[in-house]
Amino acid sequence: MEATASVDSKKVHQEKIKQIYTEVNKVVVGQKYMINRLMVGLFTQGHILLEGVPGLAKTLTVNTLANVLHLDFKRIQFTPDLLPADLLGTMIYNQKASNFEVKKGPIFANLILADEVNRSPAKVQSALLESMQEKQVTIGETTFQLDRPFLVLATQNPVDQEGTYPLPEAQVDRFMMKVHVGYPSKDEELEIMRRMSNMTFDSKVDTILTKDDIFAIRNEINSVNLSESLEKYIIELIFATRDPQAYGMKEEAHYIQFGASPRASINLNLAAKAIAFLEGRDFVLPEDIKEVAPDVLNHRIILNYEAEADGITTHDIINTILSKVNISMVK
């Protein structure tokens, strides 16, 4: 009886997920790939780093998704003069009560859009990333648990790098995926122009999921079957980033300074399960792993200066790894 109820619950949730795309597309044209990755992050408790030029609807997409999911959303513009207290909150003195009170910052929300996260110095970045990891904030002597779900969606502009503070590799590693947001197609941009130049355009959307639905979906994703052979396949992919020469990639070995961390294998496992669930399956295919591998690995493989000189990118390395390492190698 419980198994039947579980199957029915999954079908209901998968149908609601289809409705999420429909609702978001009322406001956002295209960007299905970005929306998909945002939902993968939301349903697996993984933070997302979005990279793309300005004007690609990153903020609009996140805001619309928050409304569809009935979650509290805050946008924080990261600037060089931003302080940790501007993000987390601070203690203020109440003259009437003659005591200090806590004034919470914008970090106390479900969805946080950290816009241009690399525009603020290390202290602010560290404050944000500590919240991401610990899911809590300490102000004065009091520690506050952040409301669940809690998801940070940070953006970076790859064009203008003047006056930026690049995130250290150890901090970037805390993001589940780094998603490259591309330009829309001609048809999509035509629709964007028509829609956004209409001053009577209505951007209202219906709420589809509640917090309880999100937690239930997380449990359902957790029960998606990932076979032992696919688990070992993930490990082979990760180890190929660390020792490519052992996998017959001598040329690539000259370009890789550091391979992916153990967080990569964890996140690749979770992301593949989420992709399978979003596709309506209760089991993972090798194609699911290959689909999300570039997003999980592209910010975790650190290349040397020789790679930059030769025009080699992390995507080139990942594509080679995916072509060289296959599931038949798993023992």
Side-chain angles (χ1 to χ4, degrees):
M1 194 74 177
E2 289 184 7
T4 304
S6 178
V7 170
D8 291 341
S9 176
K10 285 182 181 179
K11 288 182 178 178
V12 169
H13 287 144
Q14 286 168 345
E15 190 59 38
K16 284 186 175 182
I17 287 169
K18 291 178 183 177
Q19 294 175 31
I20 290 174
Y21 285 108
T22 302
E23 288 299 314
V24 174
N25 286 335
K26 288 181 181 179
V27 180
V28 180
V29 178
Q31 299 296 6
K32 185 176 180 181
Y33 170 75
M34 176 170 58
I35 297 166
N36 175 272
R37 295 304 188 259
L38 292 178
M39 287 201 290
V40 168
L42 178 69
F43 296 144
T44 58
Q45 306 184 69
H47 307 289
I48 308 293
L49 181 60
L50 300 171
E51 185 170 272
V53 298
L56 295 180
K58 297 186 292 293
T59 303
L60 180 64
T61 301
V62 176
N63 195 2
T64 305
L65 188 61
N67 290 333
V68 171
L69 300 175
H70 195 57
L71 297 176
D72 188 18
F73 166 73
K74 293 285 176 63
R75 176 185 176 274
I76 306 168
Q77 181 64 52
F78 279 62
T79 56
D81 60 347
L82 195 71
L83 297 173
D86 298 327
L87 180 70
L88 306 179
T90 188
M91 303 288 291
I92 58 172
Y93 186 71
N94 186 329
Q95 287 186 334
K96 290 184 178 179
S98 299
N99 60 10
F100 284 93
E101 296 178 349
V102 173
K103 182 181 179 182
K104 294 182 179 180
I107 196 72
F108 289 89
N110 299 120
L111 283 185
I112 302 294
L113 179 63
D115 225 348
E116 294 190 292
V117 68
N118 55 336
R119 293 284 174 195
S120 289
K123 272 190 176 183
V124 180
Q125 293 175 4
S126 298
L128 172 69
L129 293 166
E130 182 182 359
S131 305
M132 291 164 54
Q133 186 71 17
E134 306 298 334
K135 304 292 192 302
Q136 64 182 30
V137 171
T138 300
I139 303 174
E141 297 180 354
T142 308
T143 298
F144 300 91
Q145 295 295 323
L146 294 171
D147 190 26
R148 308 294 177 95
F150 176 72
L151 185 68
V152 172
L153 308 169
T155 69
Q156 286 189 152
N157 180 353
V159 179
D160 181 13
Q161 294 299 322
E162 289 187 16
T164 62
Y165 304 82
L167 293 170
E169 286 79 6
Q171 294 185 350
V172 173
D173 190 48
R174 298 191 184 193
F175 287 96
M176 180 184 200
M177 292 186 285
K178 181 181 178 182
V179 178
H180 291 275
V181 184
Y183 285 109
S185 65
K186 288 182 180 179
D187 290 340
E188 288 172 344
E189 187 144 354
L190 179 62
E191 176 60 25
I192 291 169
M193 181 180 68
R194 287 171 175 169
R195 187 179 293 185
M196 294 305 170
S197 60
N198 180 1
M199 290 186 285
T200 60
F201 172 68
D202 186 4
S203 61
K204 290 182 180 179
V205 291
D206 296 328
T207 300
I208 303 299
L209 291 183
T210 64
K211 289 182 182 181
D212 288 339
D213 287 325
I214 293 171
F215 297 139
I217 289 172
R218 286 181 176 179
N219 289 331
E220 289 162 4
I221 288 175
N222 195 46
S223 66
V224 170
N225 181 51
L226 181 68
S227 67
E228 186 177 351
S229 60
L230 288 181
E231 287 179 335
K232 291 181 178 179
Y233 175 53
I234 290 174
I235 299 302
E236 294 293 340
L237 289 174
I238 302 306
F239 270 70
T241 70
R242 301 172 190 170
D243 187 11
Q245 199 158 352
Y247 293 81
M249 293 178 283
K250 294 183 180 179
E251 187 176 346
E252 286 71 17
H254 294 299
Y255 295 130
I256 298 177
Q257 186 174 3
F258 297 107
S261 72
R263 279 198 185 104
S265 56
I266 297 168
N267 289 334
L268 192 49
N269 179 312
L270 289 169
K273 285 183 177 181
I275 289 293
F277 180 84
L278 293 175
E279 292 292 328
R281 286 181 277 106
D282 60 0
F283 58 91
V284 175
L285 297 173
E287 289 73 22
D288 299 324
I289 296 171
K290 291 179 180 179
E291 180 182 338
V292 292
D295 297 316
V296 173
L297 296 176
N298 65 29
H299 57 301
R300 291 186 163 95
I301 299 175
I302 311 301
L303 304 182
N304 55 29
Y305 290 111
E306 190 176 346
E308 185 177 351
D310 292 345
I312 301 297
T313 66
T314 53
H315 284 284
D316 297 328
I317 300 293
I318 293 167
N319 288 336
T320 302
I321 289 173
L322 291 174
S323 64
K324 293 280 187 181
V325 181
N326 53 67
I327 197 167
S328 62
M329 297 173 63
V330 175
K331 297 178 180 179

